[in-house]
Amino acid sequence: MDAVITFQGVSFTYRGNWLQRISALKRVDLDVPAGSAFGFLGANGAGKSTSIKLLTGLLHGHCGRVALFGSELAGSDADRRLRARLGYLPEHPFFYDNLRVDEYLAYLARLSGLSAGGITAACERVYQLLDLGDLRRRMLRSFSKGMRQRFGLAQAIIHQPDLLVLDEPFSGLDPLWRARFREVMALERGRGATLFFSSHILSDVEDLCDRYAVIDHGSVLEQGRIADLLGQAPMILTGSGPAPAGAADAGGGEWRLPFPEGEREARLAALPPGARILRLERQKVALEDWFVARIRATHGAGVKLGDMSHG
Amino acid sequence: MADPALPGAATLIRVVAGSTFREAVRSRTFLGLLIIFAVCVGLSRIVGWVSSTDGNIVTTDLVMSLQAIIGVLVAVATGTALVQSEITNKTLYTVISRPIARWQFVVGKYLGLAAGLALGQAAMLAIGLAYLAATGAEVHRWLLLAGLLTLVEVLVMAAVSLCWTALSSPLLAAVLGLATWFCGHAVTSLPELIHHLKGWQLVVAAGLASLVPNLGQFAYRNQAVYQLPLGWADLAQRLGYGALWIALLVTLTVVVFRRKHL
């Protein structure tokens, strides 16, 4: 698959006070394949937003190579054609207070290159997707946080971009709207768009994404497939009767024993007489738990799900 | 999706300007200042009554000066907020991430604001002239020319404030904007002040004076009250002078804004 987003050895430094320099990104390498849903994970200040701002043209002056759709962003007018294929929802989006929903959407759609006829159809589409039809004549100053987020997603997808960059898209949404956002994102992906988003709600990343990267203190710690990551979770043998050495009490007369790939025969042989095997299954580990453990082991050798102590 | 056909620079600037104009004229500040102007115009008659000279002349002078003062205050306030508030409020994130160059954004924002300021100036002039007509003062074409030149002064001040805000914080930009306004009017009397200077002192004084727009070029209102004529060539020269300063200041803003981290 071709990469839609490529970072090669990208470093970026902010100017602090006087001669102070703040290094926000340190030789970041990242590849986001076309058609994927890519979760960009990191704690506050890890470098997620800086990376996104480099992609969207809000920051420039980086070292290394940032490419969109295979073409390097050069900070020139040539980037416009690449940015026309991108939809962006910023974190905590703010909008002009004194414009109506329909005016604002038409304004941004026009900037993205839609014709007058195309704008009407595009607006109707996002009104339906995000239930904004009844609000189209409302000024944005009267919107709640959740409504602003809905409008934010609407403006990001109005021109049906090939790449959707979403910074904390679920922020401020109630459970119903989180579910709707997931549906809309699935629809966008079904249309062929690539999703690239950062989120603190890792269960959403787990549900939506097939690939991930973890960034911490400006460096990408690791990246890969979510399925591979979750597939690293250890197998657990659950049984009843006499418990073998190393087993944990699971309640109700049951015990649980880690069952690693290379030690299966030895573990089976060590089962005491009368022990009864009930089931063998992969341990359920939430991405969130893994993420916390991964960040805590900052810059250490990668933490595998099998290394995690909880069951 | 296939590559969309990108709109041209003129279209993008027009779209940004249109949105900025709508946003500006719907703001409460805009309506509030028009109301303040109307109230002040009403009160100006009192000054006319107590004046020892022709009351109508004094009232006309006050109305034209109020239009300039309130116009400049609005220009400084909105000019300093124009781009900086977009950065602070992050409203430009969803705009700049689209296929629009930063210079197109700045020029579009300025033109939208200029259109809003022009509407405000036209409304103030209309209110002022209607009041003067209603109170028996003479309304003549020279007042319209004075109103036009005041509008140019206001547009120059909006560009000054926009430029200062690209170089400093909004508060400092507002202070520097007002300081520029005072200096710009003081420059008019410069020839009288520096006629005794010679050599390098004269060069330095003249050089410093050239760094600020000579706003006296647009202060025709006092002459207009007495119906002192203004030739077409003189008018064209003043309009051209204002346009040059606006172009220079907006270009400077673009140069700074292009390098800004958002």
Side-chain angles (χ1 to χ4, degrees):
Chain A
M1 275 193 292
D2 293 335
V4 167
I5 298 173
T6 308
F7 276 55
Q8 281 177 348
V10 175
S11 300
F12 184 80
T13 306
Y14 284 104
R15 251 200 322 214
N17 294 329
W18 297 102
L19 296 176
Q20 188 192 13
R21 295 285 183 271
I22 301 159
S23 184
L25 295 179
K26 299 164 195 163
R27 302 193 61 76
V28 167
D29 292 311
L30 199 65
D31 275 308
V32 178
S36 63
F38 196 99
F40 198 36
L41 313 176
N44 290 333
K48 300 189 301 290
S49 292
T50 302
S51 306
I52 287 175
K53 283 180 177 180
L54 284 175
L55 279 179
T56 51
L58 298 171
L59 290 177
H60 48 81
H62 56 275
C63 299
R65 180 173 183 264
V66 179
L68 272 179
F69 307 106
S71 300
E72 184 168 1
L73 290 173
S76 66
D77 258 14
D79 295 351
R80 291 178 57 217
R81 191 159 290 282
L82 302 174
R83 291 214 305 271
R85 300 170 63 190
L86 180 150
Y88 173 44
L89 168 63
E91 185 182 8
H92 309 307
F94 286 94
F95 304 105
Y96 303 129
D97 284 341
N98 295 313
L99 289 186
R100 295 193 315 255
V101 168
D102 56 347
E103 291 173 337
Y104 214 141
L105 283 176
Y107 165 53
L108 295 175
R110 191 76 193 94
L111 292 182
S112 289
L114 294 191
S115 63
I119 288 171
T120 311
C123 285
E124 287 304 328
R125 175 178 159 269
V126 295
Y127 290 155
Q128 279 190 357
L129 283 175
L130 292 154
D131 275 358
L132 288 168
D134 293 340
L135 304 172
R136 69 178 77 184
R137 309 287 294 174
R138 285 260 298 267
M139 296 278 188
L140 277 130
R141 64 168 172 255
S142 66
F143 270 30
S144 67
K145 193 179 176 198
M147 288 155 88
R148 278 175 185 266
Q149 200 72 8
R150 279 159 60 190
F151 178 80
L153 184 59
Q155 61 80 30
I157 63 173
I158 191 156
H159 54 301
Q160 300 197 34
D162 295 329
L163 168 65
L164 260 177
V165 177
L166 310 169
D167 200 351
E168 300 290 346
F170 302 103
S171 170
L173 294 174
D174 60 40
L176 285 176
W177 274 105
R178 274 174 58 192
R180 175 68 78 88
F181 264 44
R182 281 200 291 267
E183 287 166 16
V184 172
M185 287 180 199
L187 278 174
E188 288 298 303
R189 203 175 164 203
R191 184 177 59 71
T194 304
L195 303 185
F196 178 82
F197 70 92
S198 69
S199 178
H200 287 125
I201 305 170
L202 298 184
S203 59
D204 290 324
V205 175
E206 199 172 337
D207 288 350
L208 273 169
C209 295
D210 48 21
R211 301 186 81 89
Y212 74 99
V214 179
I215 187 166
D216 185 45
H217 289 86
S219 301
V220 170
L221 298 185
E222 63 179 82
Q223 55 185 309
R225 293 174 176 277
I226 295 266
D228 292 346
L229 175 71
L230 297 179
Q232 293 171 10
M235 301 299 286
I236 297 289
L237 187 69
T238 306
S240 62
D249 184 13
E254 293 184 1
W255 45 261
R256 303 183 70 183
L257 180 70
F259 205 65
E261 193 78 38
E263 300 174 30
R264 288 186 176 181
E265 287 184 10
R267 295 265 164 126
L268 283 174
L271 288 180
R276 192 167 154 236
I277 295 173
L278 296 176
R279 57 189 175 272
L280 179 65
E281 62 195 357
R282 197 168 291 283
Q283 183 183 1
K284 276 291 255 190
V285 176
L287 183 60
E288 192 152 339
D289 297 327
W290 171 83
F291 173 74
V292 171
R294 184 69 183 88
I295 296 297
R296 282 183 180 162
T298 311
H299 304 296
V303 173
K304 305 294 182 196
L305 290 182
D307 300 336
M308 294 173 60
S309 56
H310 62 88
Chain B
M1 200 172 100
D3 266 6
L6 295 183
T11 306
L12 291 169
I13 289 170
R14 185 171 48 76
V15 170
V16 173
S19 151
T20 307
F21 172 75
R22 264 195 220 105
E23 170 80 358
V25 297
R26 286 177 186 167
S27 72
R28 287 170 187 154
T29 316
F30 186 82
L31 188 63
L33 284 164
L34 278 184
I35 293 170
I36 289 173
F37 174 77
V39 171
C40 289
V41 163
L43 294 174
S44 68
R45 193 68 191 162
I46 298 170
V47 182
W49 287 333
V50 298
S51 167
S52 57
T53 55
D54 184 345
N56 280 338
I57 293 284
V58 173
T59 307
T60 307
D61 203 3
L62 269 174
V63 166
M64 299 308 289
S65 298
L66 275 171
Q67 185 204 347
I69 291 167
I70 291 183
V72 165
L73 288 177
V74 175
V76 170
T78 50
T80 49
L82 192 64
V83 172
Q84 197 62 39
S85 69
E86 293 248 5
I87 297 172
T88 311
N89 297 335
K90 301 177 182 173
T91 42
L92 85 176
Y93 281 17
T94 54
V95 178
I96 293 292
S97 58
R98 288 174 199 271
I100 179 170
R102 291 191 181 193
W103 73 266
Q104 293 161 351
F105 177 74
V106 172
V107 172
K109 290 297 285 183
Y110 178 77
L111 291 180
L113 175 66
L117 290 171
L119 181 68
Q121 287 291 301
M124 282 197 272
L125 189 63
I127 292 170
L129 295 184
Y131 178 79
L132 292 175
T135 52
E138 191 180 353
V139 175
H140 43 80
R141 67 188 171 110
W142 304 113
L143 295 181
L144 289 175
L145 273 189
L148 174 65
L149 285 171
T150 298
L151 169 64
V152 179
E153 180 179 354
V154 165
L155 296 184
V156 170
M157 282 311 301
V160 165
S161 305
L162 180 69
C163 190
W164 277 127
T165 200
L167 297 166
S168 61
S169 68
L171 185 63
L172 187 58
V175 173
L176 290 170
L178 289 175
T180 307
W181 187 53
F182 285 114
C183 291
H185 279 285
V187 162
T188 312
S189 353
L190 198 68
E192 298 153 31
L193 298 173
I194 64 170
H195 72 278
H196 63 282
L197 296 179
K198 284 182 183 136
W200 67 269
Q201 291 173 321
L202 184 64
V203 171
V204 169
L208 285 175
S210 67
L211 293 178
V212 289
N214 180 354
L215 298 176
Q217 292 277 338
F218 315 116
Y220 168 66
R221 32 193 181 269
N222 293 333
Q223 294 98 304
V225 169
Y226 293 98
Q227 302 190 42
L228 299 178
L230 180 71
W232 289 113
D234 199 3
L235 176 68
Q237 179 264 320
R238 293 178 192 216
L239 294 178
Y241 179 76
L244 268 178
W245 265 103
I246 290 169
L248 176 71
L249 291 164
V250 173
T251 305
L252 259 174
T253 308
V254 165
V255 169
V256 176
F257 188 68
R258 280 181 71 169
R259 300 170 57 84
K260 219 171 181 77
H261 288 157
L262 304 174

